[in-house]
Amino acid sequence: MDEALFGIGIYTAPEAARMVGMRPATLRRWLLGYDHDAKHERPLWQPQYEVNDDDGVLLGFRDLIEARIVHALRAKRIGLPTIRVCMERAREIVGQDRPFSTSQFKTDGKSIFLQITRGLDEPQLYDLKKSQGVFNRVVAPSLADLEFGKDGAERWWLLHGKRTIVADPERAFGQPIIAATGITTARIAEAVEAEGSVEEVAKLYELKPRLIRDALAYEQMIERRKAA
């Protein structure tokens, strides 16, 4: 595996897909390209790590956020050709290859979204009112739990409305962790299974039980999404 680049996180396709709530094969198609109607479609965007035959596709944190927003759009049945055009137009506006995870998209997202969806032959985006609705219902919620710096998305708070469980590319390679300690949620879930109770694990790690419960809540949430 390529050495993880400091501060950008590193995820395999299954790890990223699990966090976003989608199929790994679909994510790989977006990042590697795919064949459709006897034509090879190029990737939707270039991942932060170079693709190689040994490791397959590896994603950085910015890739994870792009995937989250594209997945939200696809869940509303907006077609990939439309999303591709939107990303290309957005790149021209913000000047970055991963436009949806930029700080400019966070601050000016509604205006940018209306620009990039103008004139597209897509039922969900036929007019200004529908485009505004898609942004408000789909895109804005996908940005709500993110923190941005000058270079783009820097942190994803994984339980809506809470600041306890986070994905931060500068900590634990971007894996989901308890923000106060840096212990991964996966490790907490394993510990609860081994010890038999939240209280025992709280004592073991000298943490408040509510933090253990939040870590478990996150792990259970993504397992439910995976099962669905």
PDB file of all heavy atoms in Angstrom, residues 35-51:
ATOM      1  N   ASP A  35     -17.552   1.043 -18.314  1.00  0.00           N
ATOM      2  CA  ASP A  35     -18.056   0.893 -19.678  1.00  0.00           C
ATOM      3  C   ASP A  35     -19.573   1.012 -19.681  1.00  0.00           C
ATOM      4  O   ASP A  35     -20.269   0.398 -18.867  1.00  0.00           O
ATOM      5  CB  ASP A  35     -17.643  -0.467 -20.252  1.00  0.00           C
ATOM      6  CG  ASP A  35     -16.137  -0.573 -20.422  1.00  0.00           C
ATOM      7  OD1 ASP A  35     -15.517   0.454 -20.754  1.00  0.00           O
ATOM      8  OD2 ASP A  35     -15.588  -1.660 -20.194  1.00  0.00           O
ATOM      9  N   HIS A  36     -20.085   1.796 -20.632  1.00  0.00           N
ATOM     10  CA  HIS A  36     -21.532   2.003 -20.746  1.00  0.00           C
ATOM     11  C   HIS A  36     -21.886   2.229 -22.205  1.00  0.00           C
ATOM     12  O   HIS A  36     -21.331   3.121 -22.862  1.00  0.00           O
ATOM     13  CB  HIS A  36     -21.960   3.208 -19.909  1.00  0.00           C
ATOM     14  CG  HIS A  36     -23.421   3.515 -19.994  1.00  0.00           C
ATOM     15  ND1 HIS A  36     -24.378   2.687 -19.451  1.00  0.00           N
ATOM     16  CD2 HIS A  36     -24.086   4.555 -20.572  1.00  0.00           C
ATOM     17  CE1 HIS A  36     -25.568   3.205 -19.682  1.00  0.00           C
ATOM     18  NE2 HIS A  36     -25.426   4.333 -20.361  1.00  0.00           N
ATOM     19  N   ASP A  37     -22.804   1.382 -22.723  1.00  0.00           N
ATOM     20  CA  ASP A  37     -23.238   1.488 -24.129  1.00  0.00           C
ATOM     21  C   ASP A  37     -22.042   1.500 -25.081  1.00  0.00           C
ATOM     22  O   ASP A  37     -21.910   2.370 -25.945  1.00  0.00           O
ATOM     23  CB  ASP A  37     -24.082   2.757 -24.336  1.00  0.00           C
ATOM     24  CG  ASP A  37     -25.446   2.654 -23.672  1.00  0.00           C
ATOM     25  OD1 ASP A  37     -25.884   1.523 -23.385  1.00  0.00           O
ATOM     26  OD2 ASP A  37     -26.070   3.711 -23.431  1.00  0.00           O
ATOM     27  N   ALA A  38     -21.145   0.522 -24.892  1.00  0.00           N
ATOM     28  CA  ALA A  38     -19.975   0.340 -25.752  1.00  0.00           C
ATOM     29  C   ALA A  38     -19.013   1.534 -25.707  1.00  0.00           C
ATOM     30  O   ALA A  38     -18.209   1.735 -26.617  1.00  0.00           O
ATOM     31  CB  ALA A  38     -20.400   0.071 -27.194  1.00  0.00           C
ATOM     32  N   LYS A  39     -19.089   2.298 -24.631  1.00  0.00           N
ATOM     33  CA  LYS A  39     -18.209   3.455 -24.473  1.00  0.00           C
ATOM     34  C   LYS A  39     -17.615   3.433 -23.076  1.00  0.00           C
ATOM     35  O   LYS A  39     -18.307   3.102 -22.111  1.00  0.00           O
ATOM     36  CB  LYS A  39     -19.005   4.747 -24.683  1.00  0.00           C
ATOM     37  CG  LYS A  39     -18.204   6.020 -24.471  1.00  0.00           C
ATOM     38  CD  LYS A  39     -19.106   7.235 -24.582  1.00  0.00           C
ATOM     39  CE  LYS A  39     -18.347   8.529 -24.273  1.00  0.00           C
ATOM     40  NZ  LYS A  39     -19.244   9.706 -24.310  1.00  0.00           N
ATOM     41  N   HIS A  40     -16.335   3.785 -22.973  1.00  0.00           N
ATOM     42  CA  HIS A  40     -15.712   3.848 -21.650  1.00  0.00           C
ATOM     43  C   HIS A  40     -15.880   5.253 -21.087  1.00  0.00           C
ATOM     44  O   HIS A  40     -15.431   6.243 -21.687  1.00  0.00           O
ATOM     45  CB  HIS A  40     -14.224   3.506 -21.717  1.00  0.00           C
ATOM     46  CG  HIS A  40     -13.576   3.505 -20.355  1.00  0.00           C
ATOM     47  ND1 HIS A  40     -13.789   2.497 -19.437  1.00  0.00           N
ATOM     48  CD2 HIS A  40     -12.753   4.410 -19.758  1.00  0.00           C
ATOM     49  CE1 HIS A  40     -13.115   2.763 -18.331  1.00  0.00           C
ATOM     50  NE2 HIS A  40     -12.483   3.909 -18.505  1.00  0.00           N
ATOM     51  N   GLU A  41     -16.552   5.333 -19.954  1.00  0.00           N
ATOM     52  CA  GLU A  41     -16.745   6.607 -19.277  1.00  0.00           C
ATOM     53  C   GLU A  41     -15.576   6.849 -18.333  1.00  0.00           C
ATOM     54  O   GLU A  41     -15.182   5.973 -17.575  1.00  0.00           O
ATOM     55  CB  GLU A  41     -18.052   6.604 -18.484  1.00  0.00           C
ATOM     56  CG  GLU A  41     -19.294   6.392 -19.340  1.00  0.00           C
ATOM     57  CD  GLU A  41     -19.626   7.606 -20.199  1.00  0.00           C
ATOM     58  OE1 GLU A  41     -18.989   8.671 -19.997  1.00  0.00           O
ATOM     59  OE2 GLU A  41     -20.513   7.490 -21.055  1.00  0.00           O
ATOM     60  N   ARG A  42     -15.015   8.038 -18.394  1.00  0.00           N
ATOM     61  CA  ARG A  42     -13.867   8.361 -17.536  1.00  0.00           C
ATOM     62  C   ARG A  42     -14.326   8.559 -16.091  1.00  0.00           C
ATOM     63  O   ARG A  42     -15.522   8.741 -15.829  1.00  0.00           O
ATOM     64  CB  ARG A  42     -13.157   9.606 -18.054  1.00  0.00           C
ATOM     65  CG  ARG A  42     -13.968  10.873 -17.965  1.00  0.00           C
ATOM     66  CD  ARG A  42     -13.245  12.020 -18.669  1.00  0.00           C
ATOM     67  NE  ARG A  42     -13.960  13.279 -18.507  1.00  0.00           N
ATOM     68  CZ  ARG A  42     -15.018  13.637 -19.203  1.00  0.00           C
ATOM     69  NH1 ARG A  42     -15.519  12.812 -20.105  1.00  0.00           N
ATOM     70  NH2 ARG A  42     -15.603  14.814 -19.007  1.00  0.00           N
ATOM     71  N   PRO A  43     -13.394   8.533 -15.144  1.00  0.00           N
ATOM     72  CA  PRO A  43     -13.765   8.740 -13.733  1.00  0.00           C
ATOM     73  C   PRO A  43     -14.468  10.072 -13.516  1.00  0.00           C
ATOM     74  O   PRO A  43     -14.226  11.047 -14.246  1.00  0.00           O
ATOM     75  CB  PRO A  43     -12.413   8.707 -13.017  1.00  0.00           C
ATOM     76  CG  PRO A  43     -11.507   7.934 -13.927  1.00  0.00           C
ATOM     77  CD  PRO A  43     -11.954   8.257 -15.313  1.00  0.00           C
ATOM     78  N   LEU A  44     -15.330  10.111 -12.496  1.00  0.00           N
ATOM     79  CA  LEU A  44     -15.990  11.378 -12.164  1.00  0.00           C
ATOM     80  C   LEU A  44     -14.985  12.398 -11.639  1.00  0.00           C
ATOM     81  O   LEU A  44     -15.120  13.594 -11.871  1.00  0.00           O
ATOM     82  CB  LEU A  44     -17.072  11.150 -11.102  1.00  0.00           C
ATOM     83  CG  LEU A  44     -18.349  10.433 -11.545  1.00  0.00           C
ATOM     84  CD1 LEU A  44     -19.310  10.289 -10.377  1.00  0.00           C
ATOM     85  CD2 LEU A  44     -19.024  11.184 -12.687  1.00  0.00           C
ATOM     86  N   TRP A  45     -13.978  11.941 -10.914  1.00  0.00           N
ATOM     87  CA  TRP A  45     -12.890  12.801 -10.464  1.00  0.00           C
ATOM     88  C   TRP A  45     -11.684  11.918 -10.179  1.00  0.00           C
ATOM     89  O   TRP A  45     -11.800  10.706 -10.044  1.00  0.00           O
ATOM     90  CB  TRP A  45     -13.277  13.625  -9.228  1.00  0.00           C
ATOM     91  CG  TRP A  45     -13.369  12.873  -7.938  1.00  0.00           C
ATOM     92  CD1 TRP A  45     -12.390  12.680  -7.008  1.00  0.00           C
ATOM     93  CD2 TRP A  45     -14.522  12.189  -7.409  1.00  0.00           C
ATOM     94  NE1 TRP A  45     -12.848  11.937  -5.946  1.00  0.00           N
ATOM     95  CE2 TRP A  45     -14.167  11.624  -6.165  1.00  0.00           C
ATOM     96  CE3 TRP A  45     -15.839  12.008  -7.865  1.00  0.00           C
ATOM     97  CZ2 TRP A  45     -15.049  10.886  -5.386  1.00  0.00           C
ATOM     98  CZ3 TRP A  45     -16.718  11.274  -7.092  1.00  0.00           C
ATOM     99  CH2 TRP A  45     -16.330  10.728  -5.868  1.00  0.00           C
ATOM    100  N   GLN A  46     -10.513  12.539 -10.100  1.00  0.00           N
ATOM    101  CA  GLN A  46      -9.278  11.811  -9.826  1.00  0.00           C
ATOM    102  C   GLN A  46      -9.070  11.697  -8.324  1.00  0.00           C
ATOM    103  O   GLN A  46      -9.079  12.703  -7.610  1.00  0.00           O
ATOM    104  CB  GLN A  46      -8.082  12.532 -10.456  1.00  0.00           C
ATOM    105  CG  GLN A  46      -8.091  12.527 -11.971  1.00  0.00           C
ATOM    106  CD  GLN A  46      -8.044  11.127 -12.545  1.00  0.00           C
ATOM    107  OE1 GLN A  46      -7.299  10.270 -12.056  1.00  0.00           O
ATOM    108  NE2 GLN A  46      -8.836  10.872 -13.575  1.00  0.00           N
ATOM    109  N   PRO A  47      -8.897  10.474  -7.800  1.00  0.00           N
ATOM    110  CA  PRO A  47      -8.680  10.329  -6.355  1.00  0.00           C
ATOM    111  C   PRO A  47      -7.369  10.950  -5.913  1.00  0.00           C
ATOM    112  O   PRO A  47      -6.445  11.153  -6.710  1.00  0.00           O
ATOM    113  CB  PRO A  47      -8.687   8.804  -6.155  1.00  0.00           C
ATOM    114  CG  PRO A  47      -8.382   8.230  -7.492  1.00  0.00           C
ATOM    115  CD  PRO A  47      -8.920   9.184  -8.505  1.00  0.00           C
ATOM    116  N   GLN A  48      -7.285  11.242  -4.629  1.00  0.00           N
ATOM    117  CA  GLN A  48      -6.098  11.898  -4.084  1.00  0.00           C
ATOM    118  C   GLN A  48      -4.868  11.003  -4.105  1.00  0.00           C
ATOM    119  O   GLN A  48      -3.746  11.493  -4.095  1.00  0.00           O
ATOM    120  CB  GLN A  48      -6.382  12.374  -2.653  1.00  0.00           C
ATOM    121  CG  GLN A  48      -7.372  13.536  -2.597  1.00  0.00           C
ATOM    122  CD  GLN A  48      -7.750  13.897  -1.179  1.00  0.00           C
ATOM    123  OE1 GLN A  48      -8.681  13.322  -0.622  1.00  0.00           O
ATOM    124  NE2 GLN A  48      -7.049  14.846  -0.578  1.00  0.00           N
ATOM    125  N   TYR A  49      -5.085   9.677  -4.110  1.00  0.00           N
ATOM    126  CA  TYR A  49      -3.979   8.736  -4.224  1.00  0.00           C
ATOM    127  C   TYR A  49      -3.943   8.177  -5.635  1.00  0.00           C
ATOM    128  O   TYR A  49      -4.988   7.885  -6.220  1.00  0.00           O
ATOM    129  CB  TYR A  49      -4.137   7.579  -3.230  1.00  0.00           C
ATOM    130  CG  TYR A  49      -3.887   7.969  -1.803  1.00  0.00           C
ATOM    131  CD1 TYR A  49      -4.939   8.387  -0.989  1.00  0.00           C
ATOM    132  CD2 TYR A  49      -2.606   7.924  -1.262  1.00  0.00           C
ATOM    133  CE1 TYR A  49      -4.719   8.749   0.333  1.00  0.00           C
ATOM    134  CE2 TYR A  49      -2.376   8.290   0.056  1.00  0.00           C
ATOM    135  CZ  TYR A  49      -3.440   8.703   0.843  1.00  0.00           C
ATOM    136  OH  TYR A  49      -3.215   9.068   2.144  1.00  0.00           O
ATOM    137  N   GLU A  50      -2.738   8.013  -6.153  1.00  0.00           N
ATOM    138  CA  GLU A  50      -2.586   7.438  -7.483  1.00  0.00           C
ATOM    139  C   GLU A  50      -3.052   5.982  -7.480  1.00  0.00           C
ATOM    140  O   GLU A  50      -2.707   5.208  -6.583  1.00  0.00           O
ATOM    141  CB  GLU A  50      -1.125   7.517  -7.920  1.00  0.00           C
ATOM    142  CG  GLU A  50      -0.874   7.017  -9.329  1.00  0.00           C
ATOM    143  CD  GLU A  50       0.574   7.174  -9.747  1.00  0.00           C
ATOM    144  OE1 GLU A  50       1.331   7.839  -9.015  1.00  0.00           O
ATOM    145  OE2 GLU A  50       0.938   6.618 -10.801  1.00  0.00           O
ATOM    146  N   VAL A  51      -3.838   5.619  -8.479  1.00  0.00           N
ATOM    147  CA  VAL A  51      -4.331   4.245  -8.595  1.00  0.00           C
ATOM    148  C   VAL A  51      -3.201   3.356  -9.083  1.00  0.00           C
ATOM    149  O   VAL A  51      -2.474   3.702 -10.026  1.00  0.00           O
ATOM    150  CB  VAL A  51      -5.518   4.167  -9.572  1.00  0.00           C
ATOM    151  CG1 VAL A  51      -5.970   2.720  -9.759  1.00  0.00           C
ATOM    152  CG2 VAL A  51      -6.664   5.031  -9.075  1.00  0.00           C
TER     153      VAL A  51
END
